[in-house]
Amino acid sequence: MANLPILLDYWPSMFGMRARVALREKGVEFEYREEDFSNKSDLLLQSNHIHKKIPVLIHNGKPVCESLNVVQYVDEAWPEKNPFFPSDPYGRAQARFWADFVDKKFTDAQFKIWGKNGEEQEAGKKEFIEAVKILETELGDKPYFGGDSFGYVDISLITFSSWFQAYEKFGNFSIESESPKLIAWAKRCMEKESVFKSLPDSEKIVAYAAEYRKNNL
């Protein structure tokens, strides 16, 4: 294990899941280290002293932080298999744009659905559904966001799907009713070994979210 990349992670984190999917999609063996947010490890605090957040990928003794940055690094560090980006500059720019869209539009909205109540929760649900519909339009009839190949945008978004059941339970709505094509895409992605091995069971996520709500709302 000494020479393997080390991934500092936290099991329910959709951002940590991105790094897991990326590494497995490339066939890279890695050492997984679960972080305790109430008692962060010295390695995490040293490796990401700016944000003190997961995921952090430590490769050849050097830390790489922030989930989308980690995914790009993995693609460049192990270029031999399953490229995450199109070969043309425009396609690569578009992929970065849509992954950034996912981060900007999903992150706060999804937390409001399962981590808030009342008006905040309703606002989050509205923002989330609007973003889902935009992404469904961008997906169109393609199997994946980049076309025929599973890639960067797919990795950025698919990890949120492990939380879909929690969003539906606590937000009292159906994502499939709002966006059937996106759910079909998610099911397609879940057939990939790199994805289903990296995403936790949705029931575990629901239980995690329920515990958070009990303790914080």
Side-chain angles (χ1 to χ4, degrees), residues 84-86 91-92 94-99 101-102 106 131-159 164 179 181-186 188-189:
F84 298 158
F85 287 90
R92 296 169 74 87
Q94 287 297 99
R96 288 191 293 268
F97 173 87
W98 286 109
F101 177 90
V102 171
F106 267 53
V132 159
K133 288 182 179 297
I134 291 170
L135 285 164
E136 186 174 61
T137 300
E138 170 60 19
L139 177 65
D141 294 324
K142 303 188 297 288
Y144 301 106
F145 278 91
D148 293 331
S149 301
F150 179 79
Y152 185 62
V153 182
D154 304 291
I155 294 171
S156 75
L157 180 59
I158 190 55
T159 57
F164 281 3
S179 184
K181 281 186 180 178
L182 202 72
I183 294 299
W185 161 86
R188 194 176 304 121
C189 292

Side-chain angles (χ1 to χ4, degrees), residues 29-180:
E29 288 188 61
F30 62 96
E31 180 184 346
Y32 179 93
R33 293 194 190 176
E34 180 79 2
E35 283 291 328
D36 177 358
F37 276 12
S38 63
N39 184 24
K40 294 178 182 179
S41 71
D42 289 341
L43 184 57
L44 175 60
L45 297 176
Q46 291 162 10
S47 301
N48 189 358
H49 63 279
I50 303 296
H51 298 302
K52 303 176 177 60
K53 292 179 179 178
I54 58 90
V56 177
L57 178 67
I58 302 171
H59 182 217
N60 295 328
K62 297 175 181 177
V64 183
C65 307
E66 296 295 297
S67 63
L68 290 178
N69 193 39
V70 170
V71 174
Q72 290 187 55
Y73 177 86
V74 169
D75 191 45
E76 293 171 8
W78 291 276
E80 305 84 10
K81 180 181 177 184
N82 299 338
F84 298 158
F85 287 90
S87 57
D88 63 295
Y90 180 75
R92 296 169 74 87
Q94 287 297 99
R96 288 191 293 268
F97 173 87
W98 286 109
D100 183 64
F101 177 90
V102 171
D103 266 8
K104 285 186 167 72
K105 297 295 184 179
F106 267 53
T107 305
D108 290 341
Q110 61 86 30
F111 175 69
K112 290 175 190 172
I113 296 172
W114 67 270
K116 299 291 183 180
N117 280 327
E119 289 183 6
E120 275 190 286
Q121 185 183 52
E122 286 303 310
K125 188 161 67 171
K126 183 183 177 189
E127 292 164 20
F128 180 84
I129 290 170
E130 285 174 356
V132 159
K133 288 182 179 297
I134 291 170
L135 285 164
E136 186 174 61
T137 300
E138 170 60 19
L139 177 65
D141 294 324
K142 303 188 297 288
Y144 301 106
F145 278 91
D148 293 331
S149 301
F150 179 79
Y152 185 62
V153 182
D154 304 291
I155 294 171
S156 75
L157 180 59
I158 190 55
T159 57
F160 287 87
S161 72
S162 62
W163 281 79
F164 281 3
Q165 190 174 327
Y167 304 158
E168 292 179 328
K169 178 179 175 63
F170 300 113
N172 193 29
F173 72 111
S174 166
I175 298 172
E176 187 163 19
S177 297
E178 299 288 349
S179 184

